[in-house]
Amino acid sequence: MGVLNNISDLFGQNEKFDTGVILSGGGARGFAHAGILKALNEYDIYPDVIAGVSAGAIVGALYADGHSPDQIFDIFSQEDTFFKYVKLKVPGNGLFKTVGLKENLSKSLKAKTFEELQIPLFVVATNINTAEVTYFNTGEILDRVLASAAIPVLFEPIEIEGNLYVDGGVLDNFPVFPLEERCKRLIGISLNPINTQDDFDSLLKIAERTFHLSTSSNISNKIERCEMVFEPEELKEYGLLDTSKGKEMFELGYHSALELLNSLQGR
């Protein structure tokens, strides 16, 4: 599916969903997505449709495929460093190939197409040929999810049907558009708080920081459209590539979400 100019292109004219969940990008902070989803499920809140970008696309695909939040954590906690997810690739159009990530997803996903998923899913990618955002919800899953998470410069672009795609967060790091007209309520998870940083002693750190700043600038007005938003402020202490601290981020997401849900319930 290419660029969508009208929400009616997404679903049947009369199709409505109760709860839509939006999962932002955030790199390794995506572990927190799983923790927050776990807390939501414990409150009997389950998404009827999901829109995810980058790390949110990865977690969203696995959740829509029937994996529980704990199972999603287990799938990725087996790889405790960033470099186990990737393979160095120079020279070329990206520093790394997402070999480990691709193998892990391919092994874990039962569904091979969007149509086979248990929950409808949209993943967002940036078409660098046409400079447009694309919302995928049909066809083969794996390459579209990898495209959604292909951080420019760090990861090589993914070719789909003759076009090159990179991380959807470049143009839409909080994909409310596919869901806002078709859901009774929207729940957003944003993993992009920014702290002060002084150590820029490598190209990797500069590329990570630059991407983080650019993707964080385009979400504030979109968040306002959600009935409930989870934004764990403590995540600012974790880098986008800090996969070694996945357990901490999972627990942080879980407990921060429970705290908010408890407060909303007056507990």
Side-chain angles (χ1 to χ4, degrees), residues 34-54:
I36 293 169
L37 286 169
K38 179 178 179 178
L40 286 169
N41 290 173
E42 290 181 2
Y43 265 77
D44 291 323
I45 300 172
Y46 295 89
D48 299 300
V49 59
I50 298 170
V53 57
S54 198

Side-chain angles (χ1 to χ4, degrees), residues 77-118:
S77 63
Q78 300 167 20
E79 309 290 350
D80 59 357
T81 71
F82 166 74
F83 292 100
K84 289 185 179 179
Y85 287 97
V86 300
K87 178 180 180 181
L88 188 63
K89 178 184 179 291
V90 287
N93 53 7
L95 295 177
F96 303 99
K97 297 182 68 174
T98 52
V99 175
L101 176 59
K102 184 174 184 177
E103 290 178 352
N104 207 345
L105 281 175
S106 180
K107 179 177 63 177
S108 301
L109 285 169
K110 299 182 290 292
K112 303 306 177 186
T113 68
F114 284 85
E115 292 82 355
E116 296 173 295
L117 292 170
Q118 297 180 24

